[in-house]
Amino acid sequence: ILPEMILKDANFVRIEKLNETTALHAETLEIFKEDNVVFGSNVNFKAFDKNKKTIATGRTDLLKIDNRNFCYTMLNNANIKSIQTGMTLYSDCFKWNSKTNQLVSGKNNVVTVIKEPEKAGDAKFSASGTGFVFSGLSLQFAFNGKTTGKIEN
């Protein structure tokens, strides 16, 4: 199967209900119209709320956007920074389901979560583990596998 279009040094914007929800820049985007799938390499992205405020940023070496299944897969050197929570997530595999607002990792993929202090005197939190799951609705996360962590003042 060959892509219908290949775009180099591409900027991509997603608009929903007249609002820009996502912006990304990719070294390469391959668009497969029949499968409603887009593949990207060396991707940087931002997500926006309805007031056009940035709520998350990130990057990944490889991105698959599966529009039919509302699924975004990030592979290799992936990171996501949530502006709302102040957390940054690192892994080699994330899957985001935009219909359920769930972010998960592969069962055996290690995810590292770092929360920097918001102000002087706050603690820095970091944890690494497997079986990661994050709810975009509750802004809570859990590890279902082996986990280590550290809190620093």
Side-chain angles (χ1 to χ4, degrees), residues 119-139:
K119 58 185 184 296
D122 285 356
K124 176 181 179 178
F125 168 83
S126 63
S128 294
T130 57
F132 177 83
V133 63
F134 171 83
S135 169
L137 300 175
S138 69
L139 301 179

Side-chain angles (χ1 to χ4, degrees), residues 39 45 59-60 62-66 69-80 89-111 131-136 140-142:
F39 291 93
F45 66 88
R59 76 149 318 276
T60 186
L62 300 170
L63 174 68
K64 176 184 177 187
I65 302 171
D66 180 348
N69 296 304
F70 307 96
C71 186
Y72 300 73
T73 304
M74 301 170 65
L75 299 171
N76 300 336
N77 300 312
N79 71 68
I80 303 168
L89 312 172
Y90 301 90
S91 184
D92 278 332
C93 178
F94 285 121
K95 285 188 179 182
W96 170 256
N97 184 309
S98 63
K99 199 169 197 173
T100 63
N101 285 307
Q102 294 288 311
L103 178 71
V104 298
S105 69
K107 180 180 176 182
N108 297 313
N109 291 95
V110 174
V111 174
F132 177 83
V133 63
F134 171 83
S135 169
Q140 295 182 344
F141 69 90

Side-chain angles (χ1 to χ4, degrees), residues 5-153:
M5 284 191 272
I6 299 174
L7 307 171
K8 302 287 186 180
D9 194 26
N11 291 308
F12 174 89
V13 176
R14 174 162 291 208
I15 298 172
E16 296 174 11
K17 297 179 183 174
L18 302 177
N19 289 313
E20 187 175 313
T21 59
T22 310
L24 68 82
H25 177 268
E27 184 177 285
T28 304
L29 282 178
E30 296 181 356
I31 301 171
F32 295 81
K33 184 177 177 183
E34 189 172 310
D35 294 330
N36 205 4
V37 172
V38 177
F39 291 93
S41 64
N42 295 318
V43 177
N44 293 289
F45 66 88
K46 288 183 180 182
F48 306 100
D49 67 13
K50 61 185 171 191
N51 298 315
K52 300 181 182 178
K53 185 176 176 185
T54 301
I55 56 173
T57 62
R59 76 149 318 276
T60 186
D61 288 352
L62 300 170
L63 174 68
K64 176 184 177 187
I65 302 171
D66 180 348
N67 289 304
R68 279 196 186 133
N69 296 304
F70 307 96
C71 186
Y72 300 73
T73 304
M74 301 170 65
L75 299 171
N76 300 336
N77 300 312
N79 71 68
I80 303 168
K81 180 175 185 174
S82 169
I83 308 302
Q84 294 169 294
T85 64
M87 292 188 307
T88 304
L89 312 172
Y90 301 90
S91 184
D92 278 332
C93 178
F94 285 121
K95 285 188 179 182
W96 170 256
N97 184 309
S98 63
K99 199 169 197 173
T100 63
N101 285 307
Q102 294 288 311
L103 178 71
V104 298
S105 69
K107 180 180 176 182
N108 297 313
N109 291 95
V110 174
V111 174
T112 299
V113 178
I114 297 175
K115 181 165 180 17
E116 296 290 341
E118 292 179 28
K119 58 185 184 296
D122 285 356
K124 176 181 179 178
F125 168 83
S126 63
S128 294
T130 57
F132 177 83
V133 63
F134 171 83
S135 169
L137 300 175
S138 69
L139 301 179
Q140 295 182 344
F141 69 90
F143 291 99
N144 295 314
K146 188 176 180 180
T147 307
T148 61
K150 185 167 48 171
I151 299 174
E152 300 175 29
N153 278 332

